[in-house]
């Protein structure tokens, strides 16, 4: 029998758009995305869990994650460091996502630095691709990765949101 993942979804109004917060029944964060990118989020969920192998049921504040994200947007930036996450993906992707969680608030790194931090300094493009496939934006802070020349590059929620998040965290 094929396992079906029971996922819970809540919505949170933020200063930069409505956020979708997806958790499992154990209260671990599985995905975060913006409602205007919900189709992309569902594609990632299909990729990581299998099309038709998960359910998305509406829930209020699953695992206290919505409350935590509300606190983040009100200024408690460090709250995201304490949130439990669970991801699937390749071993390489998971290594990139673990490295992203180690980037401290108020800091940014380049894609080259990200590749070096996972012990694969020549895998800059692969690290960038894994960064872009991160299903748990903000909490797995892919927005803290910028171009080597200091420019804001690539963010699944759009560059204006990336800029806002980095300003909110004191990195710009």
């Amino acid at each position: 029998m094929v396992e079906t993942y029971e996922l819970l979804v809540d919505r949170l109004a933020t200063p930069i758009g409505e956020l979708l917060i997806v958790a499992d029944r154990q209260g671990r964060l599985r995905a975060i995305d913006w409602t205007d990118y919900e189709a992309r989020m569902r594609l990632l969920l299909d990729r990581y869990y299998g099309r038709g192998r998960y359910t998305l049921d509406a829930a209020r504040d699953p695992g206290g994650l919505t409350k935590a994200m509300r606190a983040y947007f009100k200024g408690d930036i460090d709250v995201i460091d304490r949130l439990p996450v669970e991801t699937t993906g390749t071993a390489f992707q998971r290594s990139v996502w673990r490295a992203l969680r180690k980037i401290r608030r108020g800091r940014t790194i380049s894609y080259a630095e990200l590749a070096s931090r996972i012990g694969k300094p020549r895998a800059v493009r692969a690290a960038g691709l894994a960064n872009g496939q991160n299903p748990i934006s903000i909490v797995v802070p892919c927005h803290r990765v910028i171009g080597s020349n200091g420019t804001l590059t690539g963010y699944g929620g759009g560059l204006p949101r990336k800029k806002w998040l980095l300003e909110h965290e004191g990195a710009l």
Side-chain angles (χ1 to χ4, degrees):
M1 181 175 201
V2 176
E3 179 180 7
T4 299
Y5 295 91
E6 295 179 17
L7 302 177
L8 307 171
V9 62
D10 197 6
R11 296 170 184 268
L12 174 67
T14 78
I16 52 176
E18 188 177 61
L19 195 65
L20 295 165
I21 300 165
V22 178
D24 58 26
R25 295 232 176 245
Q26 291 74 40
R28 297 173 298 193
L29 195 53
R30 295 288 185 140
I32 283 187
D33 216 328
W34 306 99
T35 54
D36 49 330
Y37 291 96
E38 185 170 355
R40 181 196 57 211
M41 182 192 77
R42 287 180 181 267
L43 283 173
L44 287 175
L45 291 173
D46 287 350
R47 180 177 300 145
Y48 296 136
Y49 300 106
R51 185 181 210 78
R53 291 190 49 213
Y54 64 90
T55 59
L56 268 178
D57 300 315
R60 288 189 88 102
D61 195 20
L65 297 169
T66 306
K67 179 181 178 186
M69 292 309 299
R70 185 176 294 112
Y72 168 86
F73 282 99
K74 287 186 175 181
D76 183 3
I77 308 304
D78 295 330
V79 72
I80 64 174
D81 295 336
R82 300 183 295 273
L83 297 182
V85 300
E86 183 69 30
T87 58
T88 61
T90 67
F92 180 82
Q93 287 172 322
R94 289 191 315 271
S95 72
V96 168
W97 300 336
R98 279 191 302 273
L100 291 173
R101 285 207 87 184
K102 294 177 183 173
I103 305 169
R104 292 283 137 241
R105 72 180 292 207
R107 310 257 187 214
T108 59
I109 65 170
S110 68
Y111 292 95
E113 172 71 14
L114 179 60
S116 290
R117 286 185 179 196
I118 62 165
K120 307 265 187 201
R122 300 186 75 189
V124 176
R125 285 189 181 160
L129 287 172
N131 187 55
Q133 296 296 307
N134 167 26
I136 309 175
S137 69
I138 304 172
V139 175
V140 177
C142 51
H143 62 278
R144 294 178 184 166
V145 182
I146 62 173
S148 294
N149 63 0
T151 59
L152 298 186
T153 59
Y155 178 67
L159 290 180
R161 283 185 176 131
K162 180 173 186 160
K163 182 177 186 287
W164 189 95
L165 292 167
L166 290 172
E167 288 173 346
H168 180 62
E169 295 179 357
L172 290 181

